Amino acid sequence: MKLDDVEQRHRFVDDLIKKAFELEESFIHDEEFGDDWGGAMSTVENLIALAEMIRTEQIFQSTFAEMESVRSRNLDEKETYLSMVDDALTFFIDTLLLSRIEFAIDQLSDWDFKSERGKKFQKTFCKKLDTLIKKYQDIYDL
């Protein structure tokens, strides 16, 4: 899946949420794999928070596009405002959004999954979240 625009990244995280939720539901009544259920539940919570942060990224981008389209007689002033929004977006991505993804990976890595499905889930999701980090670093030159 391509992750070049914010909508693609949001769909990517939504798909991860659905898969994590399905795994969580599959373990809900399975006492043998309580850790697997807890790890999946924790991952769902982290991914939901991440999805909201990506929506915030979209708000930043939309605001920037609207500001860019406004006609102005003072181009220097307009460029200053645009630069401020762009800097704020980059700061948000670098300090909050990427930190949240790293937190989700760390937390997922710390769970002691016992089932084969859980171990596969853990490995796959860590890789996918790492791919998302790399994409953000590439897009925002971080």
Side-chain angles (χ1 to χ4, degrees):
M1 172 180 253
K2 291 191 124 207
L3 299 172
D4 295 328
D5 67 46
V6 71
E7 281 302 319
Q8 291 170 336
R9 293 188 293 278
H10 195 267
R11 278 192 303 274
F12 178 79
V13 171
D14 275 348
D15 288 345
L16 293 178
I17 290 169
K18 289 174 189 165
K19 290 175 184 170
F21 192 68
E22 287 171 7
L23 183 72
E24 177 202 0
E25 284 184 329
S26 74
F27 288 121
I28 203 161
H29 297 295
D30 192 341
E31 292 179 25
E32 182 180 354
F33 297 117
D35 284 346
D36 291 26
W37 173 78
M41 185 177 75
S42 173
T43 301
V44 167
E45 291 169 359
N46 283 321
L47 291 172
I48 289 170
L50 179 58
E52 293 303 314
M53 294 178 99
I54 292 172
R55 284 291 173 214
T56 303
E57 173 192 10
Q58 188 175 32
I59 292 168
F60 268 111
Q61 288 181 354
S62 176
T63 301
F64 186 86
E66 286 182 29
M67 288 175 68
E68 199 171 36
S69 70
V70 172
R71 296 170 69 185
S72 175
R73 292 182 189 174
N74 188 340
L75 293 179
D76 290 338
E77 189 175 282
K78 181 178 177 179
E79 287 302 315
T80 299
Y81 288 131
L82 289 172
S83 178
M84 290 168 51
V85 172
D86 188 53
D87 289 348
L89 173 58
T90 302
F91 181 79
F92 171 78
I93 298 298
D94 191 27
T95 60
L96 296 174
L97 192 139
L98 287 177
S99 294
R100 186 60 187 206
I101 300 171
E102 289 167 357
F103 175 78
I105 291 171
D106 290 345
Q107 202 169 41
L108 182 56
S109 297
D110 287 345
W111 280 96
D112 184 24
F113 286 88
K114 304 222 184 311
S115 72
E116 286 306 312
R117 284 184 302 154
K119 290 175 185 178
K120 182 179 178 186
F121 166 83
Q122 183 180 40
K123 184 178 177 181
T124 301
F125 272 56
C126 284
K127 282 183 182 179
K128 288 185 180 206
L129 290 172
D130 190 53
T131 298
L132 189 59
I133 285 174
K134 289 176 182 165
K135 187 52 147 178
Y136 270 108
Q137 290 171 332
D138 185 45
I139 290 170
Y140 290 99
D141 293 324
L142 301 172

